[in-house]
């Protein structure tokens, strides 16, 4: 039975699934036997294999996959305790899975954090915006600010933790996710901003600089807002009002006077 458990765990890891979600055909192929031979060795019941996997210390699944439960649990722990509080023991307890399951799926804590950071990235929303861009420069800038602001303040608050990890560990999971996704993100931002540069509406700055001028104030505000709210109370503009102030400040900084059609107001 031990070799069948090993085959099941290997197939699950290769497919990114729980053992319970891996077809017996795939497990049999990994074990180098036929499906009928596998069933015969299991006495005709898959439950025997699932129980053997459980006895080996790995949750075979059948509920939402361990991967999904662990990512959700880790994200909540980041929001509640910060990155330092996200231990594999805490995630296993919150996700109701075993430590071996987490190691099988994520290959350690950094792999889990990388999956959390990627899940809560603004990239999908950015790509959707680039696929159907607003017509005017002002609407484009406003939509980009709204997209980034939503990522910064979305609960659970993961993006601040991404930047904390990025600054604290240049070779950590946030840096690896950033390196993997940054070219795609910059390509989408270039599709949104470069036409306005060519049309003379936007200063001809490199795309990374145009983006940094946009994200910098938003990031600073998002990181400081939890501290400012208790101190300033009603004196602090709402998030939407603050975003609009940043939009107008950005346009004053980088939009060219008399930029022509599409420049906005």
């Amino acid at each position: 039975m031990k070799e069948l458990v090993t085959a099941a765990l290997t197939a699950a890891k290769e497919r990114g699934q729980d053992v319970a979600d891996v077809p017996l055909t795939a497990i049999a192929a990994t074990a180098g036997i036929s499906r009928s031979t596998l069933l015969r060795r299991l006495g005709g019941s898959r439950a025997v294999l699932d129980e053997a996997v459980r006895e080996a210390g790995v949750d075979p699944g059948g509920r939402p996959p361990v991967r999904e439960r662990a990512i959700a649990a880790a994200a909540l722990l980041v929001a509640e305790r910060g990155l330092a509080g996200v231990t594999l023991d805490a995630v296993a307890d919150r996700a109701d899975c075993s430590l071996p399951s987490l190691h099988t799926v994520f290959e350690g804590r950094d792999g889990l954090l990388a999956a959390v950071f990627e899940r809560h990235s603004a990239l999908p929303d950015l790509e959707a915006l680039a696929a159907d861009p607003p017509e005017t420069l002002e609407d484009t800038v406003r939509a980009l600010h709204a997209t980034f602001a939503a990522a910064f303040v979305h609960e659970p608050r993961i993006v601040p933790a991404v930047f904390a990890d990025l600054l604290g560990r240049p070779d950590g999971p946030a840096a690896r996710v950033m390196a993997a996704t940054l070219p795609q993100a910059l390509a989408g931002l270039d599709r949104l901003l470069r036409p306005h540069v060519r049309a003379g509406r936007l200063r001809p700055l490199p795309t990374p600089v145009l983006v940094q001028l946009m994200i910098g104030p938003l990031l600073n505000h998002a990181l400081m807002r939890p501290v400012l709210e208790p101190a300033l109370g009603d004196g602090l503009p709402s998030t939407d009002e603050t975003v609009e102030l940043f939009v107008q400040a950005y346009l004053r900084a980088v939009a060219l006077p008399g930029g022509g059609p599409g420049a906005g107001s």
Side-chain angles (χ1 to χ4, degrees):
M1 180 60 69
K2 183 176 180 180
E3 66 272 20
L4 298 183
V5 169
T6 300
L9 293 175
T10 300
K13 182 176 180 180
E14 290 174 350
R15 298 167 69 95
Q17 296 177 305
D18 282 343
V19 170
D21 296 322
V22 178
L24 285 178
T25 303
I27 296 173
T30 302
I33 58 179
S34 67
R35 184 178 184 277
S36 59
T37 299
L38 174 61
L39 276 173
R40 186 165 58 252
R41 292 177 61 177
L42 295 175
S45 172
R46 175 169 188 142
V48 174
L49 177 59
D50 288 345
E51 183 57 33
V53 169
R54 191 174 288 107
E55 289 177 358
V58 178
D59 181 359
R63 296 175 287 170
V66 166
R67 179 180 180 82
E68 295 303 314
R69 302 203 314 271
I71 289 174
L76 290 174
L77 288 168
V78 169
E80 293 170 6
R81 307 180 186 178
L83 285 175
V86 185
T87 65
L88 289 183
D89 283 322
V91 173
D93 182 64
R94 181 71 65 91
D96 191 23
C97 64
S98 67
L99 279 174
S101 294
L102 295 180
H103 283 288
T104 297
V105 175
F106 298 104
E107 298 183 350
R109 179 177 182 269
D110 280 1
L112 172 58
L113 288 177
V116 172
F117 295 163
E118 187 173 358
R119 175 66 56 83
H120 291 270
S121 163
L123 184 58
D125 291 335
L126 178 60
E127 290 186 320
L129 185 60
D132 186 21
E135 292 185 5
T136 70
L137 172 60
E138 182 170 347
D139 286 344
T140 298
V141 170
R142 184 173 289 109
L144 282 170
H145 274 76
T147 297
F148 288 125
F152 289 146
V153 304
H154 174 74
E155 295 291 347
R157 284 168 54 85
I158 301 301
V159 172
V162 172
F163 281 92
D165 189 69
L166 185 64
L167 296 173
R169 290 199 299 167
D171 60 346
R176 291 199 294 274
V177 170
M178 190 74 73
T181 60
L182 190 58
Q184 193 174 354
L186 284 176
L189 288 161
D190 196 70
R191 291 199 302 274
L192 286 162
L193 298 176
R194 197 51 49 183
H196 295 290
V197 172
R198 290 194 293 267
R201 305 177 195 120
L202 202 58
R203 296 186 186 281
L205 300 171
T207 297
V209 174
L210 288 171
V211 175
Q212 287 167 337
L213 288 170
M214 183 183 301
I215 294 179
L218 269 176
L219 176 60
N220 181 61
H221 179 77
L223 293 176
M224 291 299 297
R225 191 173 182 93
V227 178
L228 294 174
E229 280 180 327
L232 299 181
D234 293 338
L236 184 67
S238 69
T239 298
D240 289 343
E241 290 170 335
T242 303
V243 167
E244 185 60 28
L245 290 172
F246 287 150
V247 168
Q248 297 306 320
Y250 182 81
L251 290 170
R252 286 194 296 271
V254 299
L256 291 171
S265 58

